[in-house]
């Protein structure tokens, strides 16, 4: 009898062991092979939180596009199943009931009564898990923007529960922007730690990341409340935070200088674009073209017309507008040269008056044709937005492109003047008209082309300006005085001088602005130029040589 | 032919155009107020106050054109910033008129003009002091433009900034002033400028008699300035100026201190422009920073060019003609006006190098003038 009992007990134990063995292996199996469909099915049938937890973990691990939607809907409580056939569905609440969408196939079943479906319920434990899992899913997405968004989301609600998750994602992450946000999140979590050493490490980590938010976090730590208590109790940590903060402040100062420099250079590029055409007509030909501003305006209006003509190709419109504006303004330039300026060579003051008259006519023409109101020129997507260089510095795309573009235009122009045959002819006519004539250069023809070139470049400047300012009949007037200043400051007849003058005036303007205000800054620059001309009446880089007439 | 004494009769002996102009000026200075005040409104000969003010405004602008012709026509200095001196004179007058308002402003502050009360200023800025006195204000009308012109001219001419370079920096000067006067902190009323004037020397600016008097004063100021300019260009000084215009280097090498001559005539011209501004403001009732706009300054040059540069009376004629046309066309056909003005610039520079006056002379002499084809000269001159 004792033997029997003993055997029975052993058998029971063995049975239990076997059972547990079986269930264990089943679990293993289930972890490796379950598909999305199976998980969904089991989520519906699962009763216990533990089971669901396991299923959600599995779901996060599998590779299936549908999983994120399922996780989100589960979290939001819109994951249901049909009572009749246990078909898993998502619901959208509508007045008459629920609109159903199949989880597996995405097929829509139409609106049904609320009672025909049942919710797959979740509790707080699961909600918390789902949040982490969803963050993890987004954080391992292939799209950088989604990853960045998820990381920023985490930073908004720092939670020590996420430490492991962030660490694991951080190890895999390649993109620097996402990495920074994750590191910052981690540091912020550690900063809330009870342990002093962990907080110190966190500050050291934060020091690596430089942006305004981090500075705010550190500054908050150093704040005193009314009772004179610091929000950070440990003096050691406070000292570390303070030194980190000071370091960042100097960094910030440095980058604000860089930013000002960038703004200055972009303003300089605008000036360069506006002035470089003038540098040709005024500098090379000695013609004071007061209608130069209107050539810029015509270029801007050409951009507008191109966008009207091809509304479906806005992205490409600027690229098409550049040659079109060059041609339009260039043609106007050639017409003006042939009909008016030709008669006035060697009489610069008269040229000034005549071209001013032309500028009035062109302005009124645009007013009559397009109305006196400003026109909107659309900015293509690739021109808008900005580049985040680091926490303290972001550069807007349109300004960046305009800097590049102005340099291309300048280099192209220098190439044309120095390396091509027509450029050679232009320079020859400028230096000694009579001699050039006797060498067989048709100076009339060269004059017209040079003037057309200068005007065409102004047209291109108009395309660029259409992205920065309002396109209206007075667009040109706003730039004509600045353009003349640039050319005169840089030295007439010297493209390098024009470049240097435009950039230095642009940068000077942007650095004076914060101190004196925009208008006063401009006045200071103008007065500086007036005084500068007294000192060097021929500009910074004056031409030398015997062809320079007095 | 050089007169050293200021003697109007001998001055005008060879200046037929000037003689006629002065007679007309004298006539309107006397008769227009009479026709305005004494003749009843029903009469055909009545001149309305509106016309008086309008013509008075033209005469101020003509005075300004005269100032520009003195430096451009006789000394070759093309200032594209002469509007600045005009506006400064106007502001000096405006400040006096502002102080005359006293406590009759909207806010009723006896010390501060309305715009200062509006901007919460507590006391009058130092540069406003003295403007309650008419004599001081009139001194400033001459001195402010004069001193600015002296500094600017001395700097520019001593460094031998000439030709288009001078034109461009003078344009920069007026542009800088434009921006400055637009600022509220400058204490000149910012964007709105100075306006709502009540009276001048105790006479109401709204009354017909004051307006007629201002008109006569303007005509007389133009007359006297004309004689002054004519006298200057006829003296030896004037000869030197013309020499500078035609061959600056040669004049310098002959031993003349070119820059001092230029500074002198530039300052004188700026003062005349200041007087023109001072007469202009009470007649139009407002002065604002718009007067500094470079466009205005270029327009003055166009009046001179269209009338006939280097004749003095041509400048006056040009200013009157163009401004009359402007009033007419901006009223009747506003769209066409800029086309017309622009066209006038082009045509007058290409086909009428001597302006309207030149055309009359051509008709009168009926002798073929020497061939004047700019396209032939130009190529040689440019090389």
């Amino acid at each position: 009898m004792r033997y029997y009992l003993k055997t029975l007990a052993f058998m029971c134990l063995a049975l239990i062991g076997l059972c547990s063995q079986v269930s264990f292996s089943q679990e293993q199996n289930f972890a490796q092979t379950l598909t999305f469909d199976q998980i969904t099915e089991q989520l519906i049938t699962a009763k216990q939180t533990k089971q669901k937890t396991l299923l959600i973990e599995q779901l996060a691990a599998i590779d299936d596009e549908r999983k994120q939607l399922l996780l989100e809907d589960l979290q939001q409580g819109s994951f249901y199943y049909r009572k009749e056939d246990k078909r898993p569905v998502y619901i959208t609440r509508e007045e008459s009931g629920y609109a159903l969408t199949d989880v597996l196939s995405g097929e829509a079943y139409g609106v049904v009564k609320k009672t025909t479906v049942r919710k797959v319920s979740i509790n707080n434990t699961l909600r918390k898990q789902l949040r982490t899992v969803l963050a993890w899913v987004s954080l391992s997405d292939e799209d950088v923007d989604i990853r960045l968004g998820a990381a920023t989301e985490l930073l908004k609600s720092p939670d020590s529960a996420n430490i492991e998750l962030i660490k694991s994602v951080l190890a895999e992450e390649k993109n620097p922007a996402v990495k920074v946000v994750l590191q910052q999140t981690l540091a912020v979590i550690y900063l809330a730690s009870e342990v002093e050493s962990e907080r110190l490490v966190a500050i050291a980590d934060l020091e690596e990341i430089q942006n305004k938010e981090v500075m705010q976090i550190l500054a908050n730590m150093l704040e005193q409340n009314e009772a004179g208590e610091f929000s950070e109790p440990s003096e050691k940590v406070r000292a570390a935070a303070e030194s980190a903060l000071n370091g960042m402040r100097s960094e910030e100062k440095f980058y604000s200088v860089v930013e000002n420099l960038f703004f200055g250079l972009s303003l300089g590029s605008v000036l360069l674009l506006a002035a470089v055409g003038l540098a040709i007509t005024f500098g090379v030909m000695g013609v004071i073209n007061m209608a130069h501003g209107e050539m810029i305006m015509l270029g801007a209006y050409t951009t507008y017309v191109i966008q009207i003509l091809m509304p479906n190709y806005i992205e490409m419109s600027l690229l098409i507008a550049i040659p079109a504006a060059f041609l339009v303004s260039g043609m106007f330039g050639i017409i003006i040269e042939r009909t008016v300026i030709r008669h006035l060579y060697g009489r610069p003051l008269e040229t000034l008056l005549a071209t001013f008259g032309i500028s009035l006519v062109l302005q009124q023409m645009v007013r009559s044709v397009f109305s006196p109101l400003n026109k909107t020129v659309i900015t293509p997507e690739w021109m808008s937005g900005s580049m985040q260089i680091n926490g303290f510095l972001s550069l807007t795309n349109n300004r960046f492109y305009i800097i590049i573009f102005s340099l291309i235009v300048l280099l192209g122009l220098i190439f044309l003047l120095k390396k091509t045959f027509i450029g050679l002819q232009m320079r020859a006519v400028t230096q000694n008209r009579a001699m050039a004539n006797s060498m067989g250069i048709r100076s009339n023809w060269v004059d017209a082309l040079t003037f057309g070139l200068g005007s065409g470049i102004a047209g291109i400047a108009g395309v660029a300006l259409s992205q920065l300012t309002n396109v209206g009949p007075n667009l040109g007037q706003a730039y004509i005085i600045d353009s003349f200043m640039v050319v005169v400051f840089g030295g007439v007849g010297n493209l390098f001088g024009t470049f240097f003058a435009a950039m230095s005036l642009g940068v000077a303007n942007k650095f004076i602005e914060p101190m004196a205000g925009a208008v006063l800054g401009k006045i200071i620059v103008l007065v500086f130029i007036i005084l500068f001309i007294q000192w060097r009446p021929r500009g910074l880089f004056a031409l030398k040589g015997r062809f320079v007439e007095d | 032919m050089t007169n050293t004494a200021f003697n109007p009769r001998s001055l005008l002996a060879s200046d037929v155009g000037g003689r006629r102009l002065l007679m007309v000026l004298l006539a309107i200075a006397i008769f227009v107020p009479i026709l305005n005040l004494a003749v009843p409104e029903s009469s055909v000969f009545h001149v309305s106050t509106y016309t008086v003010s309008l013509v008075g405004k033209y005469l101020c602008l003509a005075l300004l054109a005269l100032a520009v012709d003195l430096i451009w026509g006789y000394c070759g200095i093309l200032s594209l910033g002469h509007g600045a001196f005009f506006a400064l004179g106007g502001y000096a007058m405006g400040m006096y008129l502002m102080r005359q308002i006293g406590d009759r402003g909207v806010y009723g502050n006896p010390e501060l003009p309305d715009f200062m009360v509006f901007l919460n200023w507590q006391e009058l800025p130092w540069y406003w002091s003295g403007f309650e006195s008419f004599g001081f204000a009139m001194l400033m009308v001459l001195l402010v433009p004069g001193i600015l012109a002296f500094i600017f001219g001395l700097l520019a001419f001593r460094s031998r900034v000439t030709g288009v370079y001078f034109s461009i920096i003078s344009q920069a000067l007026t542009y800088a002033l434009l921006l400055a006067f637009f600022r509220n902190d400058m204490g000149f009323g910012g964007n709105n400028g100075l306006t709502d004037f009540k009276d001048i020397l105790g006479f109401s600016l709204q009354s017909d008699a004051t307006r007629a008097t201002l008109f006569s004063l303007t005509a007389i100021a133009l007359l006297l300035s004309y004689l002054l300019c004519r006298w200057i260009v006829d003296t030896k000084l004037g000869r030197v100026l013309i020499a500078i215009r035609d061959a600056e280097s040669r004049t310098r090498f002959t031993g003349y201190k070119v820059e001092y001559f230029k500074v002198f005539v530039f300052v004188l011209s700026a003062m005349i422009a200041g007087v023109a501004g001072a007469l202009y403001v009470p007649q139009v009732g407002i002065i604002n920073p718009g007067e500094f706009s470079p466009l205005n300054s270029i327009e003055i040059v166009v009046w001179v060019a269209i009338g006939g540069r280097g004749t003095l009376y041509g400048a006056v004629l040009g200013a009157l003609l163009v401004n009359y046309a402007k009033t007419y066309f901006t009223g009747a056909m506003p769209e066409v006006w800029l086309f017309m003005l622009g066209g006038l610039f082009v045509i007058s520079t290409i086909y009428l190098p001597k302006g309207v006056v030149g055309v009359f002379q051509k008709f009168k002499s009926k002798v073929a003038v020497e061939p004047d084809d700019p396209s032939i000269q130009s190529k040689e001159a440019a090389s």
Side-chain angles (χ1 to χ4, degrees):
Chain A
M1 190 61 203
R2 266 180 87 175
Y3 175 74
Y4 170 76
L5 278 174
K6 220 174 174 180
T7 315
L8 191 68
F10 176 76
M11 278 178 75
C12 281
L13 275 174
L15 197 67
I16 294 165
L18 196 68
C19 282
S20 64
Q21 197 75 38
V22 167
S23 77
F24 181 67
S25 66
Q26 240 179 7
E27 236 177 70
Q28 282 288 351
N29 202 20
F30 159 112
Q32 279 158 10
T33 58
L34 277 190
T35 64
F36 180 77
D37 295 26
Q38 287 167 321
I39 294 174
T40 317
E41 196 182 313
Q42 290 188 22
L43 267 174
I44 292 170
T45 48
K47 292 277 178 287
Q48 290 169 326
T49 303
K50 216 174 185 183
Q51 276 174 296
K52 286 186 182 169
T53 310
L54 278 172
L55 284 165
I56 290 168
E57 251 168 45
Q58 298 315 311
L59 184 59
I62 62 165
D63 185 26
D64 194 303
E65 295 174 339
R66 294 169 293 182
K67 71 179 179 188
Q68 189 163 358
L69 193 60
L70 177 56
L71 287 168
E72 279 167 10
D73 277 84
L74 188 58
Q75 190 191 18
Q76 287 156 15
S78 54
F79 177 45
Y80 281 60
Y81 61 90
R82 261 205 310 236
K83 282 179 187 166
E84 47 185 57
D85 56 358
K86 298 218 164 168
R87 190 71 189 166
V89 288
Y90 299 131
I91 58 109
T92 14
R93 289 173 182 84
E94 290 190 10
E95 269 178 46
S96 52
Y98 291 153
L100 303 187
T101 319
D102 194 283
V103 171
L104 304 176
S105 64
E107 193 184 333
Y109 292 135
V111 182
V112 297
K113 275 192 193 142
K114 288 182 185 176
T115 48
T116 60
V117 288
R118 180 164 291 164
K119 189 172 172 180
V120 179
S121 61
I122 55 169
N123 56 20
N124 278 343
T125 321
L126 283 175
R127 266 189 209 106
K128 202 168 172 189
Q129 187 204 3
L130 276 167
R131 202 159 54 222
T132 318
V133 168
L134 267 170
W136 184 81
V137 168
S138 307
L139 281 173
S140 43
D141 198 281
E142 268 171 32
D143 190 339
V144 176
D145 287 337
I146 291 180
R147 292 210 300 274
L148 193 60
T152 318
E153 211 42 52
L154 276 183
L155 180 57
K156 274 183 201 160
S157 51
D159 187 350
S160 56
N162 292 335
I163 290 182
E164 289 308 313
L165 166 75
I166 295 170
K167 274 186 180 165
S168 68
V169 176
L170 203 50
E172 301 284 315
E173 184 57 59
K174 295 279 187 295
N175 183 289
V178 182
K179 231 173 166 167
V180 163
V181 179
L182 288 174
Q183 279 166 347
Q184 191 180 334
T185 315
L186 208 55
V188 169
I189 293 170
Y190 276 127
L191 215 49
S193 152
E194 299 285 312
V195 190
E196 188 189 275
S197 64
E198 274 190 9
R199 293 205 300 271
L200 280 172
V201 173
I203 287 175
D205 284 347
L206 281 177
E207 221 174 341
E208 305 278 307
I209 314 155
Q210 312 214 311
N211 65 32
K212 288 185 176 148
E213 285 166 49
V214 171
M215 284 176 69
Q216 190 55 48
I217 293 169
L218 292 175
N220 285 346
M221 290 174 70
L222 298 175
E223 261 172 24
Q224 274 174 300
N225 63 10
E226 281 161 10
E229 289 167 356
F230 286 95
S231 48
E232 166 59 50
S234 155
E235 200 172 320
K236 212 168 154 192
V237 179
R238 278 205 306 272
E242 193 162 5
S243 84
L245 189 61
N246 287 340
M248 258 178 252
R249 280 195 179 129
S250 66
E251 286 278 311
E252 191 191 24
K253 225 171 251 170
F254 170 73
Y255 282 112
S256 84
V257 171
V258 172
E259 192 174 35
N260 260 341
L261 198 66
F262 173 74
F263 280 146
L265 287 180
S266 78
L267 178 67
S269 311
V270 172
L271 290 176
L272 177 64
L273 277 174
V276 77
L278 201 67
I280 302 217
T281 50
F282 180 45
V284 177
M285 295 176 81
V287 171
I288 316 278
N289 182 13
M290 293 301 278
H292 182 77
E294 276 58 42
M295 298 292 136
I296 297 176
M297 175 195 74
L298 285 176
Y301 271 95
T302 309
T303 318
Y304 168 72
V305 170
I306 295 263
Q307 290 195 343
I308 293 291
L309 287 181
M310 31 190 291
N312 299 327
Y313 301 94
I314 295 294
E315 299 294 305
M316 298 295 293
S317 60
L318 289 191
L319 299 182
I320 296 163
I322 291 169
F326 183 82
L327 287 179
V328 170
S329 296
M331 283 307 295
F332 268 94
I334 289 176
I335 293 170
I336 293 169
E337 202 277 341
R338 284 290 88 187
T339 53
V340 176
I341 293 171
R342 183 165 68 100
H343 303 291
L344 298 170
Y345 281 117
R347 295 196 287 165
L349 300 182
E350 276 87 344
T351 321
L352 192 153
L353 294 180
T355 49
F356 183 72
I358 294 169
S359 87
L360 291 184
V361 170
L362 287 176
Q363 275 175 43
Q364 187 57 45
M365 189 185 81
V366 167
R367 248 179 232 131
S368 302
V369 175
F370 292 99
S371 97
L373 301 174
N374 283 343
K375 297 290 176 196
T376 324
V377 172
I378 304 159
T379 305
E381 224 150 79
W382 52 271
M383 282 279 284
S384 46
S386 62
M387 285 178 289
Q388 190 74 32
I389 303 297
N390 63 26
F392 295 124
L393 185 65
S394 74
L395 308 178
T396 45
N397 280 342
N398 60 353
R399 290 179 182 277
F400 181 75
Y401 282 122
I402 279 172
I403 294 180
I404 303 287
F405 182 62
S406 70
L407 291 179
I408 293 172
V409 170
L410 181 72
L411 289 178
L413 206 55
I414 290 176
F415 176 81
L416 186 78
L417 283 178
K418 299 270 156 133
K419 300 285 177 201
T420 62
F421 185 62
I422 178 72
L424 184 68
Q425 289 186 327
M426 283 175 186
R427 286 183 294 140
V429 172
T430 316
Q431 292 185 5
N432 193 328
R433 183 175 295 270
M435 188 61 81
N437 274 338
S438 59
M439 298 302 251
I441 295 173
R442 290 168 59 189
S443 64
N444 281 341
W445 188 72
V446 173
D447 282 335
L449 273 188
T450 314
F451 199 80
L453 176 69
S455 305
I457 301 272
I460 291 184
V463 178
L465 282 180
S466 72
Q467 297 299 312
L468 295 180
T469 50
N470 297 325
V471 176
N474 295 330
L475 172 74
Q477 290 213 307
Y479 285 93
I480 187 73
I481 292 182
D482 286 338
S483 308
F484 271 114
M485 291 300 132
V486 167
V487 175
V488 169
F489 180 53
V492 170
N494 187 329
L495 284 182
F496 178 72
T498 308
F499 167 74
F500 190 83
M503 291 303 171
S504 45
L505 288 185
V507 171
N509 226 329
K510 283 295 163 191
F511 275 91
I512 298 173
E513 225 169 66
M515 283 179 267
V519 177
L520 199 58
K522 203 156 184 202
I523 297 171
I524 292 173
V525 169
L526 279 175
V527 171
F528 165 75
I529 293 174
I530 293 175
L531 293 177
F532 176 84
I533 296 294
Q534 323 294 337
W535 175 53
R536 297 196 76 156
R538 287 280 178 265
L540 261 184
F541 301 94
L543 286 183
K544 294 190 181 79
R546 55 181 191 171
F547 57 86
V548 180
E549 48 183 331
D550 192 13
Chain B
M1 254 313 297
T2 319
N3 300 286
T4 38
F6 185 81
N7 177 351
R9 189 164 296 178
S10 64
L11 262 182
L12 298 171
S14 62
D15 181 11
V16 185
R19 220 158 47 215
R20 288 185 185 152
L21 175 79
L22 293 191
M23 281 191 293
V24 172
L25 277 178
L26 200 61
I28 59 171
I30 296 166
F31 290 112
V32 168
I34 296 175
L35 291 177
N36 172 238
L37 298 172
V39 177
E41 267 183 47
S42 51
S43 162
V44 197
F45 297 103
H46 176 76
V47 178
S48 71
T49 308
Y50 170 75
T51 317
V52 172
S53 286
L54 194 67
V55 178
K57 201 178 107 181
Y58 293 164
L59 291 179
C60 293
L61 299 176
L63 185 54
L64 179 57
L66 184 72
V68 171
D69 195 26
L70 179 65
I71 53 167
W72 186 37
Y74 289 91
C75 197
I77 305 168
L78 178 58
S79 163
L80 293 184
H82 240 54
F85 304 120
F86 176 80
L88 285 173
Y91 265 98
M93 181 57 133
M95 284 159 83
Y96 163 73
L97 295 173
M98 268 333 241
R99 300 289 279 126
Q100 289 299 299
I101 297 175
D103 56 5
R104 283 170 291 171
V106 177
Y107 295 104
N109 188 315
E111 265 305 294
L112 298 180
D114 277 351
F115 70 87
M116 288 190 192
V117 181
F118 183 74
L119 291 172
N120 278 327
W121 289 32
Q122 294 311 317
E123 54 186 15
L124 215 56
W126 60 269
Y127 46 81
W128 272 75
S129 55
F131 275 95
E132 62 277 2
S133 133
F134 185 74
F136 179 81
M138 290 309 102
L139 196 63
M140 286 299 131
V141 164
L142 290 176
L143 282 187
V144 174
I147 289 171
L148 178 67
F150 179 75
I151 296 169
F152 185 76
L154 197 65
L155 283 170
F157 299 135
R158 272 200 351 191
S159 322
R160 300 186 191 175
V161 177
T162 51
V164 292
Y165 290 89
F166 183 83
S167 305
I168 289 169
I169 63 164
S170 61
Q171 193 176 28
L173 173 77
T174 191
Y175 186 55
L177 284 169
L178 169 79
L179 293 175
F181 274 75
F182 262 123
R183 287 163 47 92
N184 276 331
D185 337 4
M186 280 286 285
F188 293 109
N191 202 359
N192 299 321
L194 310 175
T195 186
D196 286 334
F197 307 132
K198 305 285 183 215
D199 50 26
I200 179 168
L201 288 170
F203 302 104
S204 166
L205 278 171
Q206 307 306 322
S207 82
D208 288 358
T210 317
R211 288 181 170 258
T213 314
L214 278 169
F215 174 87
S216 289
L217 280 173
T218 312
I220 290 164
L222 181 56
L223 194 149
L224 292 178
S225 304
Y226 185 88
L227 284 174
L228 178 67
C229 290
R230 174 61 61 199
W231 179 60
I232 284 175
V233 299
D234 272 5
T235 50
K236 191 180 165 199
L237 171 64
R239 303 288 157 199
V240 177
L241 294 180
I242 293 171
I244 293 170
R245 176 189 75 187
D246 293 340
E248 182 169 338
S249 300
R250 211 178 291 178
T251 317
R252 183 174 286 123
F253 298 149
T254 320
Y256 291 101
K257 291 269 186 198
V258 168
E259 47 275 14
Y260 297 137
F261 284 92
K262 283 176 126 179
V263 169
F264 168 76
V265 74
F266 190 62
V267 170
L268 181 72
S269 166
M271 285 177 166
I272 296 175
V275 171
L279 287 165
Y280 181 79
V281 169
Q283 297 190 61
V284 296
I286 184 170
I287 175 81
N288 64 26
E291 297 294 337
F292 284 106
S293 94
L295 190 73
N296 282 16
S297 296
I298 296 180
E299 234 178 81
I300 307 165
V301 176
V302 174
W303 305 335
V304 178
I306 286 174
R309 172 189 168 196
T311 57
L312 293 183
Y313 59 87
V316 174
L317 193 67
L320 297 178
L321 275 179
V322 177
N323 279 297
Y324 175 70
K326 186 176 184 175
T327 311
Y328 176 75
F329 281 105
T330 46
M333 294 176 271
E335 302 257 299
V336 181
W337 167 243
L338 277 185
F339 282 127
M340 288 229 4
L341 184 66
L344 271 179
F345 279 40
V346 177
I347 290 164
S348 67
T349 45
I350 297 181
Y351 300 107
L352 306 174
K354 287 177 182 152
V356 177
V357 170
V359 177
F360 282 125
Q361 281 172 346
K362 225 179 216 172
F363 274 120
K364 241 170 69 180
S365 59
K366 282 183 187 165
V367 182
V369 197
E370 64 211 271
D372 193 346
D373 185 1
S375 62
I376 298 172
Q377 302 175 345
S378 64
K379 296 299 137 72
E380 287 149 9
S383 59

